Amino acid sequence: MALRVPEVVWWKPLHLVERTWLLVSAGFLLLLSASMVVWHAYLPVDNPGTSYKVAPEQFRAAAQAFIAQYRVGSEHGVAVVRPPEGGVAYLMASRFQWTPILKLKKGKTYHIYASSLDVNHGLSLLGVFQGEFSMNFQVVPGYINVLTVTPASTGEFEIICNQYCGLAHHLMSGRLIVTE
Ligand SMILES: [Cu+2]
């Protein structure tokens, strides 16, 4: 049986089925675009913090000075640090670790300086601050994200990297401890 070459008809009016699917697709695009506005207005997940430019080496030096000053212990080789109440805390992202483990007090406000030493990482922290307030944002080398946070509940919370950063990305989790 010979193959039949279909007639080339792209300049002819669209078939009803094709037109229907184009409309459905366009409608879906509009719906998804509108959902971004709804999400932004009613389900805030981003911290509207400020950011600064910084050289990764400079950030590493400042973070290490902070760790040395406020270190209270270590767990599995990762420093545990209790930053001053109402003060600044540093959080370094690097393949494949969040450093240090921060110990915060419930109801106190902290300014967390988060940045990356190597590649882009994603900081995901759910349900710790101000009730159902959650965080989900990119941590980029060369920039400090300043997060002003007030933990609303006590407990140990996991910080997850949600931006693929390399082979051991799935192991990249950190911790934040909130006490009374
Ligand atoms: Cu990652």
Side-chain angles (χ1 to χ4, degrees):
M1 188 170 69
L3 287 176
R4 193 170 62 84
V5 178
E7 192 192 353
V8 181
V9 292
W10 58 266
W11 60 87
K12 290 184 183 171
L14 293 177
H15 187 272
L16 178 65
V17 171
E18 200 171 6
R19 201 192 334 246
T20 305
W21 276 111
L22 273 178
L23 282 173
V24 168
S25 310
F28 202 63
L29 274 178
L30 290 175
L31 186 75
L32 287 177
S33 301
S35 77
M36 287 196 287
V37 178
V38 174
W39 187 274
H40 178 79
Y42 299 104
L43 301 163
V45 291
D46 295 313
N47 188 305
T50 41
S51 59
Y52 301 108
K53 268 190 167 179
V54 70
E57 273 317 305
Q58 208 181 336
F59 182 76
R60 185 205 301 268
Q64 279 170 349
F66 158 78
I67 291 169
Q69 190 174 356
Y70 298 107
R71 186 183 187 120
V72 290
S74 84
E75 279 181 37
H76 306 291
V78 181
V80 180
V81 175
R82 184 181 277 290
E85 289 169 23
V88 167
Y90 285 79
L91 185 60
M92 285 188 282
S94 59
R95 285 181 293 181
F96 300 93
Q97 202 170 46
W98 295 100
T99 315
I101 295 170
L102 293 173
K103 261 192 163 171
L104 308 181
K105 280 199 173 161
K106 182 182 162 186
K108 303 290 177 193
T109 299
Y110 299 88
H111 306 285
I112 300 179
Y113 284 22
S115 187
S116 166
L117 302 181
D118 41 39
V119 297
N120 285 14
H121 295 279
L123 195 159
S124 179
L125 186 60
L126 304 174
V128 190
F129 302 111
Q130 295 143 21
E132 67 255 45
F133 195 93
S134 300
M135 284 185 203
N136 223 338
F137 62 91
Q138 285 214 315
V139 178
V140 180
Y143 291 89
I144 293 177
N145 271 308
V146 183
L147 309 165
T148 300
V149 297
T150 310
S153 47
T154 58
E156 295 205 358
F157 303 92
E158 201 176 12
I159 299 170
I160 291 170
C161 177
N162 61 10
Q163 163 93 44
Y164 183 75
C165 56
L167 283 181
H169 159 69
H170 61 291
L171 300 175
M172 184 170 169
S173 72
R175 238 154 16 108
L176 198 134
I177 301 165
V178 181
T179 56
E180 286 290 344

